[in-house]
């Protein structure tokens, strides 16, 4: 729930959440609720210009303004809008990963089998009296005993690359809350 506290405190000051928070949040929404994180902007609503022989598409003009207003009415004021190249870079890999998780027998059973996503837990630390909280990504209850599933993302599934993500994002520290 660190993300929740960061977002609550910093959004009020007009700061954007870090991209890794947004990526993780988007990926969880896709995995657990099959929700896409936004909409793709059709090139037809973007203004086209030529700079130094390179075609540039920008968010200007009546077509853009009308399309944007329509998307905000349909999806809410804060709908994220991706240019196609951003969609390919950021979202297509998430869709691919989701499909691979669904195709993997054990991952599918843990993520899509019997269980409950996003369970919030609160308790008081016995030694210090400090209030604590966490959110389980999934409590899988389809096996002989419940399993806490903590969905993590990394740029690679290669063991050394994943180990680097564990260290960089403090995944090993987060595991403490589940003991």
């Amino acid at each position: 729930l660190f993300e929740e506290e960061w977002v609550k405190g910093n959004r009020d000051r007009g700061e954007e959440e870090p991209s890794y928070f947004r990526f993780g949040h988007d990926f969880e929404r896709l995995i657990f609720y099959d929700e896409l994180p936004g909409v793709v902007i059709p090139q037809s609503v973007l203004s086209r210009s030529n700079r130094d022989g390179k075609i540039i598409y920008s968010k200007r003009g009546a077509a853009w303004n009308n399309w944007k207003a329509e998307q905000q009415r349909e999806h809410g004021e804060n709908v994220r809008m991706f240019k196609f190249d951003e969609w390919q870079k950021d979202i297509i890999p998430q869709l691919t990963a989701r499909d691979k998780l669904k195709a993997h027998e054990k991952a599918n059973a843990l993520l899509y089998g019997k269980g409950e996503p996003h369970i919030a837990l609160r308790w008081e630390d016995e030694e210090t009296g400090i209030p604590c909280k966490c959110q389980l990504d999934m409590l899988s209850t389809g096996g002989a005993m419940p399993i806490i599933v903590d969905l993590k993302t990394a740029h690679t599934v290669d063991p050394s690359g994943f180990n680097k993500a564990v260290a960089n994002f403090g995944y090993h520290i987060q595991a403490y809350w589940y003991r």
Side-chain angles (χ1 to χ4, degrees):
L1 294 179
F2 169 77
E3 175 184 351
E4 176 185 307
E5 293 301 316
W6 188 96
V7 169
K8 186 171 73 175
N10 293 322
R11 251 196 211 137
D12 292 343
R13 293 190 294 274
E15 295 179 30
E16 278 193 40
E17 63 187 328
S19 61
Y20 54 86
F21 278 168
R22 190 171 44 248
F23 181 89
H25 179 261
D26 289 347
F27 191 59
E28 283 186 17
R29 301 295 305 175
L30 180 64
I31 294 299
F32 295 119
Y33 304 106
D34 220 22
E35 292 178 8
L36 293 172
V39 293
V40 178
I41 304 167
Q43 271 189 340
S44 61
V45 303
L46 297 172
S47 296
R48 182 178 165 167
S49 59
N50 190 330
R51 281 192 209 141
D52 300 325
K54 185 178 179 183
I55 295 174
I56 306 292
Y57 291 94
S58 57
K59 300 172 184 173
R60 294 190 190 136
W64 161 253
N65 291 331
N66 292 337
W67 184 84
K68 178 181 176 185
E70 179 184 322
Q71 297 308 308
Q72 289 176 326
R73 277 191 305 277
E74 187 175 332
H75 301 287
E77 279 293 313
N78 296 320
V79 63
R80 290 180 47 214
M81 299 177 194
F82 296 87
K83 289 184 179 177
F84 186 71
D85 60 331
E86 297 166 335
W87 185 263
Q88 285 183 307
K89 180 174 107 8
D90 296 336
I91 308 306
I92 297 298
Q94 291 185 31
L95 293 169
T96 302
R98 178 202 55 193
D99 294 344
K100 287 182 178 183
L101 287 171
K102 284 184 174 184
H104 189 279
E105 183 180 352
K106 289 181 182 177
N108 186 302
L110 290 171
L111 294 169
Y112 302 106
K114 187 176 178 187
E116 186 71 33
H118 296 124
I119 297 175
L121 303 174
R122 296 176 186 272
W123 70 97
E124 187 174 290
D125 183 77
E126 292 177 7
E127 289 182 28
T128 65
I130 295 174
C132 302
K133 60 183 176 178
C134 73
Q135 180 172 299
L136 308 180
D137 289 340
M138 170 65 93
L139 182 61
S140 178
T141 56
M145 59 188 309
I147 297 175
I148 296 171
V149 178
D150 195 19
L151 188 64
K152 298 297 180 198
T153 58
H155 289 287
T156 179
V157 294
D158 173 77
S160 64
F162 186 76
N163 286 339
K164 185 176 179 182
V166 167
N168 288 343
F169 296 115
Y171 292 163
H172 60 297
I173 297 167
Q174 296 169 18
Y176 173 79
W177 291 111
Y178 301 126
R179 295 177 183 213

